Amino acid sequence: MDFCDQLDSPLFTHFIANYTHPTGPDLLGRTEPFFQWQESRRQTGLWPYSRSLDGAPAAECAVRSEMGVARQGLNFGSQDYLALSTHPAVVEAAHRAIRDFGLHSAGSGMFSGNTPPSLELEAALAEHLEMPYVALFATGWGACFGAIAGLVRPEDHVVLDALAHASLQQGAMAATQKVTRVPHLHARAMRRKLQEIRAQDTSNGILVVTEGLFSMDSDVPRLDELQSLCHEYGATLLVDVAHDLGALGPRGTGSLGAQEMLGKVDLVVGSFSKTFSSNGGFVATRSAAVRQFVRVMGGPHIFSNAILPVQAAAARESLRIIRSEEGDALRARALENIVALRGAFAERGVKCLGEPSNVVPVPLGDPKLARIASKLVFERGVFPNLVEYPAVRLRESRFRMQVMSSHTVEQMRHGATVVLDAIAEAGRLLSDCERTRAPLRGAMGASDSRGRADV
Ligand SMILES: Cc1ncc(COP(=O)(O)O)c(C=O)c1O
């Protein structure tokens, strides 16, 4: 089958969502249709996921596809926004932690999994966020899930921004069936929903969940407005700052700092897997009781081994740099790159989504075009992440280009040129197919038509 014929096949028309609910008694056997579909994408170079890096997540790196195909090129898929994972002071802190405390965290933070680096990290983060009580988790996912599952009971309500991260959505669904999603960043819809819930239920809790920076759209909620709404309706606000803390805002305080909301929202959760060049997560609160409750009642803290000393030490040293003048300089350099990248797209008529942040979403729209363009950019040594349905709406596929302080403005221009050329070429390939197939379709049906392109 040639390329044009394949456009109407599951290779291009199916999404992960087509396979999420297999049925039948054979739990293992029924995974096969998904695998076959995925495999057809892998074999044709149209599965841009599960790649590996052959070195550190530097601006230029060697990337290997899941099929083992290696390419050298420009890395736009790293969340190490200030490039701290290779900063000599962070590397030295990590080495010191391994030397002094070993590699293991010994056990859950409920038992004896805490270490001097993890205790120091808790205290430093509390100061940074102006929230005196911090509970650490082994991952950001666990912190998000655990904060919600720890606090919310089946009688309570959770109201999420529709685009809140999967860890927040799954935490909500594990805690209660009373979960609603309001349209993204829609303050009036949020007010209506809170009004509606409170009109019927004055005796249970409502948790409102949002993010400091939405990482697929690069947009930001008005946190003061949301917090006031929560006060008005007796609700509690939780803000996930995974992507903005450290990377944005004065002294890396993220959207909370930029909006003068440090220490003023009810709950803050986040991750060390982005700007903090490590792994791990946290819940921050103004209440000693809430911290203890989330630790004990939020499953991932009590039932997972604690963050490793080396992870805590790397995050702690990253935080020191984030808060320093050096951190300001790194953020300024990243911003220069971000502005250059968005500008390079704008010059050729493409408006990147959202606001300037380390996440630059480039709209692709049509999912078929998106898959072809993604294959082309990989071949040409530019590596953004492809985001497809159901992570975004069906016709809103996009590249997520993640920008680091260690990139250069020249790399931004080159990256934008390669991406734009790939999009244009993918568009031409598709319209060539349309042209060849249109007359044939009427006469004999699409499956008999011949196409020209070979992707
Ligand atoms: C908004 C958001 N919250 C939470 C997480 C989970 O963080 P971690 O990678 O530390 O598990 C992520 C990471 O993908 C995220 O993007």
Side-chain angles (χ1 to χ4, degrees):
M1 213 171 26
D2 70 21
F3 162 65
C4 288
D5 291 331
Q6 288 177 324
L7 285 175
D8 290 326
S9 77
L11 183 65
F12 281 100
T13 59
H14 277 194
F15 301 86
I16 288 174
N18 291 91
Y19 302 93
T20 44
H21 286 102
T23 53
D26 182 359
L27 279 178
L28 306 183
R30 68 194 202 185
T31 61
E32 201 58 36
F34 169 67
F35 178 71
Q36 291 307 332
W37 170 74
Q38 205 193 22
E39 193 61 8
S40 68
R41 285 188 66 179
R42 261 193 294 273
Q43 296 293 343
T44 47
L46 292 166
W47 181 255
Y49 307 112
S50 304
R51 289 175 177 160
S52 54
L53 296 188
D54 281 353
E60 277 203 58
C61 64
V63 169
R64 198 172 286 277
S65 76
E66 208 184 1
M67 296 294 290
V69 178
R71 288 276 185 281
Q72 182 75 29
L74 271 183
N75 182 7
F76 284 103
S78 169
Q79 328 219 69
D80 183 15
Y81 296 135
L82 299 186
L84 295 177
S85 75
T86 49
H87 189 293
V90 176
V91 173
E92 171 55 26
H95 280 158
R96 224 180 306 125
I98 292 173
R99 198 182 56 222
D100 295 348
F101 305 105
L103 272 167
H104 200 236
S105 64
S108 144
M110 276 306 290
F111 294 121
S112 43
N114 306 303
T115 56
S118 74
L119 298 176
E120 281 172 27
L121 176 59
E122 275 183 3
L125 203 54
E127 193 184 330
H128 191 56
L129 290 167
E130 300 182 20
M131 303 280 268
Y133 301 100
V134 169
L136 295 185
F137 288 72
T139 62
W141 200 97
C144 293
F145 184 96
I148 301 179
L151 291 170
V152 173
R153 293 294 164 268
E155 307 72 43
D156 298 322
H157 307 259
V158 182
V159 186
L160 300 131
D161 183 292
L163 300 189
H165 190 257
S167 54
L168 302 162
Q169 305 262 0
Q170 291 186 26
M173 289 188 293
T176 175
Q177 292 188 351
K178 298 177 184 174
V179 177
T180 33
R181 293 168 185 84
V182 295
H184 181 49
L185 297 187
H186 203 310
R188 259 181 303 128
M190 180 63 80
R191 173 179 287 280
R192 273 198 303 273
K193 180 46 70 182
L194 294 180
Q195 243 165 7
E196 186 188 309
I197 294 173
R198 275 295 172 241
Q200 293 164 9
D201 182 355
T202 51
S203 47
N204 294 297
I206 308 175
L207 184 68
V208 170
V209 177
T210 190
E211 297 185 14
L213 172 73
F214 285 87
S215 72
M216 298 296 177
D217 293 70
S218 190
D219 52 12
V220 175
R222 281 271 313 273
L223 296 172
D224 56 344
E225 195 172 60
L226 275 177
Q227 186 61 77
S228 307
L229 259 184
C230 286
H231 285 151
E232 196 178 331
Y233 291 96
T236 299
L237 179 64
L238 178 151
V239 183
D240 177 357
V241 297
H243 283 270
D244 54 299
L245 192 73
L248 302 175
R251 290 284 144 109
T253 51
S255 297
L256 291 165
Q259 298 188 23
E260 299 184 2
M261 289 297 286
L262 276 177
K264 294 182 188 162
V265 302
D266 296 318
L267 281 171
V268 180
V269 299
S271 164
F272 304 128
S273 71
K274 301 8 173 168
T275 312
F276 292 76
S277 68
S278 186
N279 266 344
F282 65 87
V283 176
T285 161
R286 294 191 299 274
S287 153
V290 168
R291 171 170 67 168
Q292 290 298 347
F293 204 82
V294 164
R295 276 178 170 171
V296 177
M297 311 294 180
H301 179 86
I302 187 167
F303 295 117
S304 253
N305 258 30
I307 183 171
L308 301 178
V310 62
Q311 293 174 320
R316 169 70 190 92
E317 184 60 16
S318 296
L319 178 55
R320 186 194 64 72
I321 298 166
I322 282 165
R323 285 164 66 83
S324 70
E325 283 180 15
E326 183 183 0
D328 288 339
L330 292 172
R331 278 183 292 276
R333 215 173 299 151
L335 183 60
E336 199 185 338
N337 291 332
I338 292 160
V339 169
L341 185 61
R342 296 178 75 97
F345 280 105
E347 271 170 29
R348 282 181 54 185
V350 172
K351 188 172 171 4
C352 297
L353 308 179
E355 303 173 21
S357 83
N358 301 70
V359 175
V360 178
V362 181
L364 297 166
D366 175 17
K368 294 178 183 174
L369 178 136
R371 284 182 195 169
I372 299 167
S374 172
K375 177 178 158 94
L376 294 175
V377 293
F378 178 72
E379 286 166 356
R380 293 162 191 183
V382 170
F383 314 126
N385 285 321
L386 175 64
V387 187
E388 300 184 272
Y389 176 78
V392 291
R393 276 197 282 259
L394 190 61
R395 298 196 62 79
E396 295 185 2
S397 301
R398 64 199 62 168
F399 281 136
R400 183 167 78 165
M401 300 185 76
Q402 287 171 303
V403 176
M404 299 185 286
S405 55
S406 53
H407 280 122
T408 65
V409 165
E410 190 41 50
Q411 288 172 333
M412 298 298 104
R413 293 204 191 98
H414 177 66
T417 302
V418 170
V419 165
L420 285 163
D421 289 349
I423 296 172
E425 190 171 331
R428 278 195 302 277
L429 289 169
L430 285 173
S431 44
D432 276 359
C433 285
E434 274 307 305
R435 232 174 296 123
T436 8
R437 293 189 321 161
L440 292 167
R441 245 202 208 120
M444 62 181 88
S447 61
D448 291 324
S449 64
R450 308 257 339 138
R452 287 189 233 127
D454 180 21
V455 181

